[in-house]
Amino acid sequence: MVLADRFEVLDVGAVSTAQSERLHREAWQYAPAGVQGDGRYYKPYPLYIRRAKGARLWDLDDNEYIDFHGSYGPAILGHSDDRVNNAVKEVMDNEGVLFALPHPREVELAKIVTDVIPSAEKTIFTNSGTEAVYHAVRVARAFTGRDLIVKLEGAYHGWFNDVAVSIKPELKEAGPAAAPHTVPGSAGIPGEYLEKVLVLPYNDLGAIERTLERRRGEVAAVLVEPVVHSCGCLKPRDGYLEGLRELASSHGVVLIFDEVMTGFRHHQGGCQAVFRVTPDLTTFGKALSNGYAISGVTGKNEIMSRIAPEGDVFFSGTFNGHLLNVTAALRTQEILRDQSIYERLWKLGRMVEEGINTAVESLGVKARCESFGSVWSLYFGNREVRDYRDLIEVAYSKDDPVMRAYLSSLLNNGIYVQPFYVVRSFISAAHTEDDMQKTIDVTVRFLEENRIALS
């Protein structure tokens, strides 16, 4: 069997998804490709979801799925957690919805952030990960008086012009592996933005060192996902993050950890608490409030004090510190103080990794499962995955036939993993060991059935 001949799009033949197909045809008339954003579309049509609870999703045809999408990561406790929702309802009934004025709960949340995140001294709250990174980059430039940003190839930091580059470039345009080209991630980005971003490979400390030396006094910040979940589960080599910290300090560069995806998901203090490396600024968001729209930037007082109204870096927004989102974050953080939640999440991640890799080794197929905390990824091929170039032949497209075949197998067995550029799965506190075992069993059957093609 040749997988590429059999699987070109997601095969949903084993389950009825007629209602999603019907609604997609209608929705196409009213929104680009019928969805609200590129990440929500895949061929032949996306599933339209009517309900999510705990670790489960239900589509319009009432198909039930074990969910490893987790809303791209925010649902750390599981979808629609009653404890969080009840706290929000109580505040909505007794205090209000939106003040667009200072309130006590935002102060309480800022104090919690300072308590749990090692880099936190002062904090601002905004609404999305993109906004958080935007403000971090701006204040880093103001603080250093420099313009250039170092950004790592394959990482996603949001959709704004300054960082929407070299996210999923094709090999033909990406340039040399040691010195990648700065490739715009969207049409409509003026060329002058590309000149302000230096793209380098992840896990290559020498490349960072050479660049900072060559552009001495020009680089404002190094922006990095400490674990690159944009590419699934790329983990830092031993000493890499420590080396970044040393280089940034010696060159007067602001080290920014983008923990929008890793923050509050693997540890309440983020990856910086796991690796014990403290950046100058941290962006966070997704898992802060278990699905309510809030994000933020925190960091050293000397940098954060440059933000208005205390400083000269403009910051404002009607929905910043939104009462209901802050309330959800407070209740979520209260629950996450129970460190046994993280111990269990790490255990479930290791369970999937070990279960799949045992079968991979036994069958002799070209695949590898990697996990970090509550995220696991399955890579197909025999190459060790340490940076984006190890994935570049398939990661620029959502339509890799082997990946799509695997996702089809999961879907047709009641397991939902979002079709993405890589196989990336988020575990929540609502998942069980039975959910993990079913996922392992379905994956092993897929590997067995496709053993020849994957060897």
Side-chain angles (χ1 to χ4, degrees):
M1 177 187 64
V2 179
L3 285 171
D5 293 338
R6 291 188 53 196
F7 299 96
E8 295 181 357
V9 296
L10 193 64
D11 176 14
V12 293
V15 293
S16 172
T17 58
Q19 294 302 316
S20 287
E21 183 179 17
R22 178 199 58 77
L23 185 57
H24 182 249
R25 286 199 300 268
E26 179 183 356
W28 194 288
Q29 304 174 56
Y30 303 105
V35 295
Q36 297 301 314
D38 179 73
R40 303 183 188 190
Y41 178 76
Y42 47 87
K43 298 177 182 177
Y45 52 86
L47 295 185
Y48 285 77
I49 303 303
R50 70 170 182 84
R51 182 170 177 257
K53 186 67 177 177
R56 296 296 188 272
L57 293 175
W58 289 264
D59 66 17
L60 295 185
D61 290 274
D62 288 328
N63 297 305
E64 180 180 331
Y65 307 96
I66 299 171
D67 175 43
F68 287 111
H69 175 45
S71 307
Y72 286 110
I76 186 67
L77 300 176
H79 292 290
S80 193
D81 185 89
D82 289 337
R83 296 164 293 181
V84 177
N85 290 350
N86 288 338
V88 171
K89 291 173 186 175
E90 182 178 352
V91 167
M92 184 164 53
D93 289 341
N94 296 299
E95 298 179 29
V97 173
L98 174 68
F99 298 153
L101 292 167
H103 57 87
R105 292 178 183 274
E106 67 185 28
V107 179
E108 183 181 354
L109 184 58
K111 290 169 67 175
I112 289 173
V113 169
T114 300
D115 287 341
V116 300
I117 297 180
S119 63
E121 293 179 3
K122 279 187 176 176
T123 301
I124 59 171
F125 297 114
T126 182
N127 307 289
S128 70
T130 293
E131 291 177 65
V133 176
Y134 179 92
H135 291 299
V137 168
R138 176 184 273 183
V139 75
R141 284 174 164 158
F143 179 74
T144 60
R146 306 169 183 175
D147 291 339
L148 300 184
I149 301 295
V150 169
K151 182 262 182 196
L152 305 181
E153 189 176 47
Y156 176 74
H157 301 288
W159 43 254
F160 67 102
N161 289 344
D162 303 73
V163 297
V165 299
S166 297
I167 301 165
K168 297 291 180 290
E170 295 186 50
L171 182 60
K172 63 184 179 182
E173 58 185 4
H181 293 165
T182 301
V183 181
S186 172
I189 298 178
E192 55 263 31
Y193 285 93
L194 306 182
E195 298 172 2
K196 303 298 183 182
V197 184
L198 307 176
V199 177
L200 296 175
Y202 179 67
N203 264 328
D204 187 341
L205 202 57
I208 300 281
E209 184 173 18
R210 290 189 296 272
T211 298
L212 293 182
E213 187 61 40
R214 188 177 69 253
R215 307 302 294 265
R216 181 175 287 273
E218 298 180 73
V219 176
V222 173
L223 175 62
V224 59
E225 286 184 272
V227 175
V228 188
H229 289 316
S230 299
C231 293
C233 199
L234 300 189
K235 291 173 276 192
R237 288 190 172 101
D238 289 344
Y240 178 70
L241 296 178
E242 293 86 348
L244 289 181
R245 175 66 279 171
E246 292 177 9
L247 287 171
S249 296
S250 64
H251 285 269
V253 170
V254 175
L255 179 60
I256 305 173
F257 275 10
D258 181 351
E259 296 227 44
V260 169
M261 201 168 291
T262 59
F264 308 104
R265 172 155 278 283
H266 307 311
H267 187 288
Q268 198 171 15
C271 274
Q272 59 198 264
V274 175
F275 292 107
R276 299 183 180 180
V277 177
T278 304
D280 300 303
L281 294 177
T282 301
T283 63
F284 57 87
K286 292 184 183 294
L288 174 67
S289 57
N290 202 55
Y292 289 79
I294 186 171
S295 65
V297 184
T298 193
K300 293 181 177 179
N301 179 61
E302 61 179 333
I303 302 175
M304 295 297 294
S305 292
R306 287 293 299 269
I307 295 175
E310 186 172 345
D312 56 356
V313 177
F314 184 71
F315 170 70
S316 189
T318 300
F319 298 104
N320 293 345
H322 191 291
L323 178 64
L324 300 187
N325 300 334
V326 167
T327 299
L330 286 170
R331 188 66 179 103
T332 300
Q333 294 309 304
E334 182 181 5
I335 295 167
L336 290 177
R337 285 180 186 149
D338 180 356
Q339 292 303 305
S340 66
I341 292 175
Y342 289 108
E343 293 172 7
R344 184 170 169 276
L345 288 171
W346 280 79
K347 178 182 177 181
L348 294 178
R350 287 192 297 267
M351 179 180 175
V352 175
E353 178 181 351
E354 292 169 2
I356 292 176
N357 284 338
T358 297
V360 165
E361 293 169 10
S362 175
L363 295 168
V365 294
K366 296 177 181 178
R368 183 71 186 174
C369 184
E370 296 279 355
S371 73
F372 185 87
S374 60
V375 176
W376 64 271
S377 290
L378 181 59
Y379 300 110
F380 293 101
N382 58 1
R383 179 183 298 177
E384 184 181 15
V385 179
R386 301 307 297 265
D387 62 28
Y388 176 71
R389 290 302 170 106
D390 294 326
L391 300 166
I392 197 167
E393 294 179 358
V394 298
Y396 68 87
S397 170
K398 296 180 184 180
D399 296 325
D400 174 67
V402 179
M403 180 183 72
R404 297 307 292 270
Y406 174 59
L407 296 185
S408 294
S409 178
L410 293 178
L411 186 75
N412 290 323
N413 284 278
I415 302 168
Y416 186 83
V417 173
Q418 176 78 354
F420 187 58
Y421 300 94
V422 292
V423 176
R424 181 185 64 187
S425 304
F426 296 94
I427 303 170
S428 78
H431 283 98
T432 66
E433 290 191 15
D434 287 344
D435 294 335
M436 302 300 112
Q437 190 58 56
K438 178 176 180 179
T439 303
I440 293 167
D441 293 343
V442 171
T443 301
V444 171
R445 285 200 301 273
F446 173 80
L447 298 176
E448 290 172 341
E449 292 169 357
N450 298 285
R451 182 174 183 177
I452 295 175
L454 294 173
S455 298

